[in-house]
Amino acid sequence: MHMAQRRLRVLPPMPFVGRRNATSSPSAPSTAPTPARPSRRTIVDSAIYLDGIRVASPTSLADTFRALHDTPGGMAWIGLYRPSQAEIHSLAEEFDLHELAVEDAIAAHQRPKLERYDDTLFVVLRAADYLDVPEEVAFGELHLFVGPNFVITVRHSESPDLSHVRRRMEADPELLAMGTQAVLFAIIDTVVDEYAPVVAGLANDIDEIETQVFDSLDANVSRRIYELSSEVIDFQRAIHPLATVVDNLQAGAEKYHVNEELERNLRDVADHLTVVNERVDGFRSMLRDILTVNATLVSERQNARMQALSELSHQQGEDTKRISAWAAILFAPTLIASIYGMNFVDIPELHWALGYPFAVLLMVALGLGLYFWFRRRNWL
C-alpha cells in the first residue's frame, strides 16, 4: 500500500458477480446495480481529509465521491453500518473493489484475515465485548477496504464503535496526514485494546469457578465450566487469526513503504496481541484442569456417598440379623408355653409331677441352644 496520495480515477461501470460460482458471458450486458443514495442511518460518518484536516463532511456516497474527486491529494474515510448490497456495489464501482472482497463484505461471518487486491487491502477484524451479567463474550465484525486514498469501514454489529478512533485521529492531524495506513493501524490498535476488558472478565469468572469448585457442592459448576470454556474457544477464534494479520502487515512494511512511526505502533499492537493470546491460551488450559479437578471431586463425593450408603445398609443388615435371632430365641419357649397353656385335660404332662420343671428346663435349654448357635454365626 503506497503512502503517496493520488487522485482517484473515474472507472466505467464494471460487471459484478454476486456469487463465487456465478458465471458471466462476455457478450452479456452488465448487471451491476445502479448506485443508490443510502439512508443517513447507514452512513455513520463520511469525511474528506487533506493533510490530516477534515475539509468536507458529505452526507451521501455520491457526495463523498464528488468531494474526493474535487480534492486532489485528499483521503476519504467512509464509515458504514449494515449497508445494503446496492450501497456496497456503488462503492465497488467507484473504488474498483474486488468482487470476492465485496462478496465477503456482504455475506459477513468471516474470520479475521488480510487480503490484498492490487493496491487495495481487504481486512476483516473481530471485536469483542464482555457482558458481565450473562458471563458471555459478544463479538462484532468489521470489514475494511483500504486503498491509496480511501478507507471504508463496514460494521455488521454495534461494536466496535469507531467514532472515538476518528476523533482521536482528527485531534492529531500529523498522524492522520500519514494516510490510510495510519487509519488502518489505529483501528486495529483499538480493536486489540478492547480485548483487555474481555480478558479481565474471563479471568474473574475463572477465579469464581475455582472457588466454587472447592467450596461448594453446586451441581451446576460443571455446566458453568463448560459454557465458559466455549466462550474462551470463541475468543481464541477471534484473536488467533488476527495475529497472522498483524504479522503480514509487519512483513510488508518495508515493501509498501510504511512510515517508521506507524511501524513502531504496529509492533506495539503485535506485542499487546501476543499477551492477549498467551492469556487466553492459559485460560483454556486452566479451565481444562479445573474441569478435571471438578470431575475428580465429584467422583470422590459420589464414592463417599456410596460408601456411607453401603455402611448404612450393612448396619441395617446387622440389626435385622440381631432382631431375627432374638425373635427365634424367644419363639421356642413361647411355642412350648403356648402348647401347655391350651385348655386340654388329656395332656399327659399335666398329671406328671416333673412336668412343670421339665417344661421350664426345655424352654431354657432351647433358648440357650439357639443363643449360642446365633453367636457362633455372628448374628449376636
Side-chain angles (χ1 to χ4, degrees):
M1 182 164 50
H2 304 290
M3 290 300 301
Q5 304 291 332
R6 63 178 175 82
R7 184 170 182 178
L8 185 70
R9 64 186 183 278
V10 179
L11 298 173
M14 55 174 285
F16 175 77
V17 180
R19 299 292 178 186
R20 295 192 182 188
N21 59 356
T23 57
S24 59
S25 172
S27 60
S30 173
T31 58
T34 303
R37 185 182 183 91
S39 64
R40 295 193 179 187
R41 291 182 299 176
T42 299
I43 301 179
V44 179
D45 197 355
S46 180
I48 305 298
Y49 299 93
L50 182 62
D51 297 328
I53 305 298
R54 182 191 284 243
V55 295
S57 299
T59 58
S60 68
L61 293 182
D63 292 342
T64 301
F65 301 156
R66 285 192 293 268
L68 183 60
H69 295 162
D70 296 338
T71 310
M75 177 188 72
W77 183 353
I78 305 171
L80 303 176
Y81 175 68
R82 294 180 178 176
S84 65
Q85 292 189 26
E87 294 162 358
I88 295 181
H89 289 164
S90 68
L91 291 168
E93 291 184 358
E94 180 67 23
F95 296 110
D96 195 17
L97 305 179
H98 196 277
E99 60 187 41
L100 295 181
V102 172
E103 179 185 343
D104 288 343
I106 294 175
H109 303 294
Q110 304 292 319
R111 298 187 69 183
K113 63 180 180 179
L114 168 67
E115 295 178 351
R116 181 178 293 276
Y117 301 97
D118 297 328
D119 57 354
T120 301
L121 286 178
F122 176 64
V123 182
V124 178
L125 303 176
R126 295 294 303 277
D129 185 24
Y130 181 76
L131 307 178
D132 186 57
V133 175
E135 293 183 352
E136 295 178 353
V137 180
F139 297 96
E141 189 168 342
L142 175 65
H143 296 179
L144 295 95
F145 295 92
V146 183
N149 64 339
F150 66 88
V151 176
I152 303 170
T153 61
V154 179
R155 289 192 295 123
H156 292 277
S157 58
E158 295 296 332
S159 64
D161 182 9
L162 301 180
S163 59
H164 64 282
V165 180
R166 188 185 292 265
R167 289 193 298 269
R168 177 164 59 87
M169 296 289 290
E170 291 179 347
D172 189 354
E174 184 177 351
L175 177 61
L176 190 55
M178 295 181 184
T180 57
Q181 291 175 339
V183 176
L184 171 62
F185 293 171
I187 292 175
I188 296 177
D189 182 34
T190 298
V191 171
V192 173
D193 285 344
E194 290 179 354
Y195 289 157
V198 179
V199 172
L202 292 174
N204 182 69
D205 288 342
I206 292 175
D207 290 340
E208 292 179 354
I209 286 178
E210 286 181 333
T211 303
Q212 189 176 5
V213 165
F214 290 102
D215 297 344
S216 174
L217 298 177
D218 188 357
N220 294 325
V221 65
S222 298
R223 180 183 181 89
R224 187 181 180 190
I225 295 173
Y226 176 78
E227 291 176 347
L228 188 57
S229 298
S230 299
E231 297 297 327
V232 171
I233 291 174
D234 291 341
F235 194 28
Q236 280 185 315
R237 291 172 180 168
I239 62 178
H240 278 188
L242 182 56
T244 303
V245 171
V246 175
D247 290 342
N248 290 338
L249 288 173
Q250 287 182 300
E254 181 177 356
K255 178 179 179 180
Y256 295 100
H257 311 292
V258 176
N259 181 277
E260 184 176 353
E261 179 65 23
L262 295 180
E263 190 174 357
R264 282 195 293 268
N265 293 340
L266 187 60
R267 285 197 298 267
D268 183 65
V269 173
D271 292 340
H272 291 171
L273 187 59
T274 299
V275 172
V276 173
N277 273 310
E278 291 176 350
R279 291 291 305 279
V280 175
D281 290 341
F283 289 162
R284 190 169 182 181
S285 299
M286 291 175 63
L287 287 170
R288 184 167 53 247
D289 294 340
I290 292 173
L291 187 60
T292 301
V293 171
N294 180 67
T296 302
L297 293 176
V298 170
S299 178
E300 290 179 352
R301 292 164 185 162
Q302 290 177 343
N303 291 338
R305 285 195 292 266
M306 291 298 294
Q307 183 177 359
L309 290 175
S310 178
E311 292 176 353
L312 179 60
S313 177
H314 176 73
Q315 183 63 39
Q316 289 176 344
E318 292 296 320
D319 294 340
T320 301
K321 288 193 296 184
R322 289 189 181 92
I323 294 172
S324 300
W326 284 112
I329 292 171
L330 295 175
F331 175 74
T334 302
L335 177 62
I336 297 172
S338 62
I339 292 175
Y340 282 94
M342 290 188 293
N343 298 321
F344 290 99
V345 177
D346 295 330
I347 297 178
E349 292 79 4
L350 293 179
H351 304 285
W352 183 33
L354 298 178
Y356 178 75
F358 175 78
V360 173
L361 181 61
L362 181 61
M363 288 187 288
V364 172
L366 287 175
L368 290 174
L370 289 173
Y371 175 78
F372 286 111
W373 186 78
F374 284 126
R375 283 293 299 269
R376 186 176 180 180
R377 298 182 63 89
N378 296 322
W379 280 43
L380 292 175

